[in-house]
mmCIF file of all heavy atoms in Angstrom:
data_model
loop_
_atom_site.group_PDB
_atom_site.id
_atom_site.type_symbol
_atom_site.label_atom_id
_atom_site.label_comp_id
_atom_site.label_asym_id
_atom_site.label_seq_id
_atom_site.Cartn_x
_atom_site.Cartn_y
_atom_site.Cartn_z
ATOM 1 N N LYS P 76 25.445 16.759 -1.348
ATOM 2 C CA LYS P 76 24.716 17.473 -0.334
ATOM 3 C C LYS P 76 25.506 17.746 0.920
ATOM 4 O O LYS P 76 24.931 18.073 1.963
ATOM 5 C CB LYS P 76 23.432 16.648 -0.017
ATOM 6 C CG LYS P 76 22.499 16.442 -1.158
ATOM 7 C CD LYS P 76 21.771 17.678 -1.608
ATOM 8 C CE LYS P 76 20.748 17.358 -2.671
ATOM 9 N NZ LYS P 76 19.976 18.569 -3.037
ATOM 10 N N SER P 275 -15.217 -28.074 5.233
ATOM 11 C CA SER P 275 -15.510 -26.621 5.485
ATOM 12 C C SER P 275 -15.514 -26.305 6.975
ATOM 13 O O SER P 275 -15.224 -25.153 7.333
ATOM 14 C CB SER P 275 -16.898 -26.279 4.903
ATOM 15 O OG SER P 275 -17.923 -27.124 5.455
ATOM 16 N N ASP P 400 8.436 14.581 20.063
ATOM 17 C CA ASP P 400 8.548 14.347 21.479
ATOM 18 C C ASP P 400 8.302 12.866 21.812
ATOM 19 O O ASP P 400 8.310 12.504 22.964
ATOM 20 C CB ASP P 400 7.557 15.206 22.293
ATOM 21 C CG ASP P 400 7.870 16.669 22.122
ATOM 22 O OD1 ASP P 400 9.064 17.015 21.972
ATOM 23 O OD2 ASP P 400 6.938 17.437 22.040
#
Side-chain angles (χ1 to χ4, degrees):
K76 299 288 185 177
S275 60
D400 299 323

